[in-house]
């Protein structure tokens, strides 16, 4: 594996500027991916929404907003975070497993709400009678890179089960709601063929709501992080969908606006984690040689959670390329046997070795493919490790800290002193 947008010298420069571990994002790659998303094939108009849960730093939100992307939020708190970063409320859509108590305040600001269950729709109708609303359906089919990223089908709680359509229509009619959006999302890393099939199923749902003007097909486009892994070609997956929208318009006279919600596609290979080799140990000739990092599941949880594969690149201290073909098991710094950076594919409990070159304490390991679902999905503060810094590489190669490393006292700052002797 090789470095994507950093050079060995630049990786060392990140350590000098922000310490390690530090996430690094490449502004040029982010813009390139945003423009690809904005060019997604469509028949009658497109809104591309950044799935901000992938990495919610304000600088990333602002960069994407400048490129014309809107925002897909997965919690009410993400909505507030996006607004604080300068995203216009009317450019934010909320589809959440937990509809916040303050959702009516968000509606008043102009935030678009997609009800993701019958109870959510009932609550929305009671609080906002006569309002416009979107509906997220589970179309009965799902697909994901792993079972843990599949959010469609009978084993998934996401969205309103498609067979509950009559009850959905009843609740909407009871409260005079105007259903203007249908939303489906089947999983992250999904099979493009399944994604296209679900698009057709989603159009069948649109037929049941004559006022729907927008169909949101979610995201989940596969991104290859490792050498040899395939990535989804948006032109290939999108063209048949655009054709289906045209056919729907010819049949019904309704020209639907398309929404998509990429996250991984935009960020995965636009980010990396720079970490330091803090120890090298062995379990002998019949065991393994291990590299211990000053990072781990506190920054990149995906290997421990999914058995996800990330390219690992060894950089020598001072900023030069590593030499040799020595192999190691790479582990994190947590007191947790599952804190593993080199699991077998899709098998988080099985260790494997990687050929990295000769490693010594003080060298760097760059974990590539760490732009999406890493900084935003970490187990930060486990073992009281502070949250890592985040850095943006500008088009001219300059480094800009976009989140400083957490002061460790902040970790327990919300704890409240009590008299334990009285308990």
């Amino acid at each position: 594996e090789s470095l994507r947008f950093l050079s060995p010298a630049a990786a060392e420069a990140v350590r000098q500027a922000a310490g390690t571990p530090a996430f690094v994002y490449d502004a040029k790659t982010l813009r390139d991916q945003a423009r690809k998303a904005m060019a997604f094939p469509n028949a009658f108009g497109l809104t591309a929404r950044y799935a901000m849960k992938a990495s919610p730093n304000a600088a990333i939100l602002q960069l994407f907003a400048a490129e014309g992307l809107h925002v897909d939020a997965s919690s009410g708190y993400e909505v507030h975070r996006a607004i604080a970063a300068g995203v216009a409320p009317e450019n934010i859509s909320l589809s959440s497993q937990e509809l916040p108590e303050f959702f009516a305040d968000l509606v008043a600001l102009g935030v678009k709400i997609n009800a993701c269950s019958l109870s959510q729709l009932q609550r929305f109708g009671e609080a906002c009678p006569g309002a416009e609303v979107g509906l997220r359906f589970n179309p009965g089919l799902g697909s994901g890179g792993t079972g843990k990223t599949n959010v469609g089908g009978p084993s998934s709680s996401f969205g309103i089960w498609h067979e509950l359509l009559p009850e959905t229509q009843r609740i909407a009619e009871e409260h005079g709601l105007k259903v203007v959006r249908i939303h489906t999302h089947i999983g992250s890393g999904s099979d493009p063929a399944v994604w296209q099939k679900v698009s057709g199923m989603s159009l069948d749902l649109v037929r049941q709501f004559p006022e729907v003007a927008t169909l949101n097909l979610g995201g989940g486009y596969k991104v290859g992080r490792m050498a040899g892994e395939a990535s989804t070609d948006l032109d290939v997956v999108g063209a048949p969908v655009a054709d289906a929208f045209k056919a729907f318009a010819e049949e019904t006279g309704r020209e639907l606006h398309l929404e998509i919600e990429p996250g991984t596609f935009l960020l995965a290979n636009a980010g990396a984690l720079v970490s330091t080799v803090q120890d090298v140990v062995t379990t002998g000739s019949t065991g393994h040689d291990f590299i211990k990092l000053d990072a781990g599941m506190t920054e990149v949880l995906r290997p421990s959670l999914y058995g996800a594969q990330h390219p690992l690149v060894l950089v020598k201290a001072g900023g030069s390329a590593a030499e040799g073909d020595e192999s190691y098991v790479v582990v994190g710094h947590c007191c947790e046997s599952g804190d593993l950076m080199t699991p077998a594919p899709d098998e988080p409990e099985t260790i494997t070795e990687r050929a990295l070159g000769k490693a010594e304490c003080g060298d760097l390991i760059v974990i590539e493919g760490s732009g999406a679902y890493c900084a935003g999905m970490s187990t930060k503060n486990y073992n009281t490790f502070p949250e890592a810094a985040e850095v943006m590489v500008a088009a001219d190669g300059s480094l800009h800290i976009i989140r400083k490393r957490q002061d460790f006292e902040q970790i327990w700052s919300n704890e409240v002193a009590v008299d334990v002797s009285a308990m």
Side-chain angles (χ1 to χ4, degrees):
E1 301 290 345
S2 60
L3 297 173
R4 292 187 180 272
F5 58 86
L6 290 171
S7 65
E12 181 63 53
V14 169
R15 174 161 62 179
Q16 298 304 316
T20 60
F23 289 98
V24 191
Y25 306 95
D26 184 54
K28 180 182 183 304
T29 305
L30 291 173
R31 289 192 176 96
D32 288 346
Q33 293 300 104
R35 291 166 188 173
K36 290 177 183 178
M38 293 293 289
F40 192 95
N42 65 90
F44 307 110
L46 171 75
T47 298
R49 297 185 179 279
Y50 168 47
M52 66 175 287
K53 62 182 179 289
S55 192
N57 188 286
I60 295 172
L61 291 167
Q62 291 160 3
L63 184 151
F64 284 151
E67 292 296 325
L69 269 67
H70 291 198
V71 164
D72 159 49
S74 295
S75 76
Y77 302 106
E78 280 193 346
V79 172
H80 281 303
R81 188 170 186 173
I83 292 172
V87 178
E90 61 269 23
N91 289 347
I92 301 172
S93 174
L94 173 63
S95 305
S96 181
Q97 285 283 79
E98 178 186 345
L99 188 66
E101 293 182 0
F102 51 85
F103 75 86
D105 297 332
L106 302 181
V107 173
L109 291 174
V111 175
K112 298 172 176 63
I113 303 289
N114 295 318
C116 298
S117 70
L118 293 180
S119 66
Q120 285 190 16
L121 183 61
Q122 181 69 33
R123 288 173 58 198
F124 184 94
E126 292 171 355
C128 307
E132 294 185 347
V133 68
L135 300 175
R136 175 172 179 173
F137 278 98
N138 180 335
L141 185 66
S143 177
T146 75
K148 294 180 181 178
T149 58
N150 183 331
V151 293
S155 296
S156 172
S157 68
F158 290 83
I160 300 169
W161 184 243
H162 64 100
E163 293 176 337
L164 297 175
L165 174 64
E167 181 66 7
T168 306
Q169 292 171 315
R170 186 197 66 76
I171 295 172
E173 182 178 354
E174 176 187 351
H175 298 287
L177 299 176
K178 183 178 180 180
V179 178
V180 296
R181 290 179 308 281
I182 296 296
H183 179 291
T184 57
H185 174 59
I186 61 170
S188 181
S190 55
D191 183 333
V194 178
W195 195 87
Q196 290 174 6
K197 182 177 181 180
V198 169
S199 301
M201 297 167 71
S202 301
L203 286 170
D204 289 338
L205 289 167
V206 171
R207 287 186 173 87
Q208 307 303 315
F209 297 93
E211 293 181 305
V212 166
T214 298
L215 176 56
N216 186 318
L217 293 175
Y221 313 114
K222 172 68 177 175
V223 172
R225 290 175 168 88
M226 301 289 289
E229 288 184 346
S231 295
T232 299
D233 185 324
L234 296 192
D235 288 333
V236 172
V237 76
V241 175
D243 291 341
F245 274 48
K246 292 174 185 176
F248 182 86
E250 291 176 1
E251 174 194 340
T252 66
R254 300 164 63 185
E255 296 183 350
L256 297 176
H257 186 87
L258 172 65
E259 290 189 353
I260 58 172
E261 296 174 349
T264 298
F265 177 83
L266 295 170
L267 267 135
N269 290 328
L273 181 76
V274 178
S275 62
T276 295
V277 176
Q278 51 94 2
D279 208 348
V280 181
V281 303
T282 185
T283 52
S285 59
T286 59
H288 301 278
D289 294 330
F290 294 83
I291 289 175
K292 295 183 180 183
L293 305 179
D294 67 348
M297 61 194 299
T298 43
E299 288 74 34
V300 181
L301 178 61
R302 298 179 71 253
S304 299
L305 187 61
Y306 308 136
Q309 304 295 292
H310 285 260
L312 304 179
V313 182
L314 178 66
V315 174
K316 300 302 291 181
S320 61
E323 297 180 351
D325 59 0
E326 287 83 353
S327 294
Y328 300 89
V329 176
V330 181
V331 300
H333 56 179
C334 291
C335 187
E336 188 75 39
S337 60
D339 192 5
L340 176 65
M341 295 295 105
T342 56
D346 302 325
E347 297 181 18
E349 296 183 7
T350 302
I351 67 173
T352 61
E353 297 182 352
R354 296 275 187 92
L356 299 170
K358 179 65 174 178
E360 300 173 291
C361 293
D363 290 344
L364 296 171
I365 290 282
V366 178
I367 304 176
E368 290 285 0
S370 299
Y373 300 97
C374 291
M377 198 180 76
S378 67
T379 59
K380 66 181 182 182
N381 297 161
Y382 184 51
N383 290 168
T384 313
F385 284 114
E387 187 175 33
E390 290 182 289
V391 177
M392 185 82 77
V393 182
D396 63 2
S398 58
L399 302 177
H400 301 265
I401 295 175
I402 59 174
R403 182 180 72 195
K404 68 177 185 177
R405 182 175 173 82
Q406 184 180 30
D407 295 328
F408 67 86
E409 294 93 342
Q410 292 177 328
I411 298 172
W412 60 82
S413 63
N414 288 335
E415 295 179 7
V416 178
V418 296
D419 181 5
V420 296
S421 67
M423 295 182 180

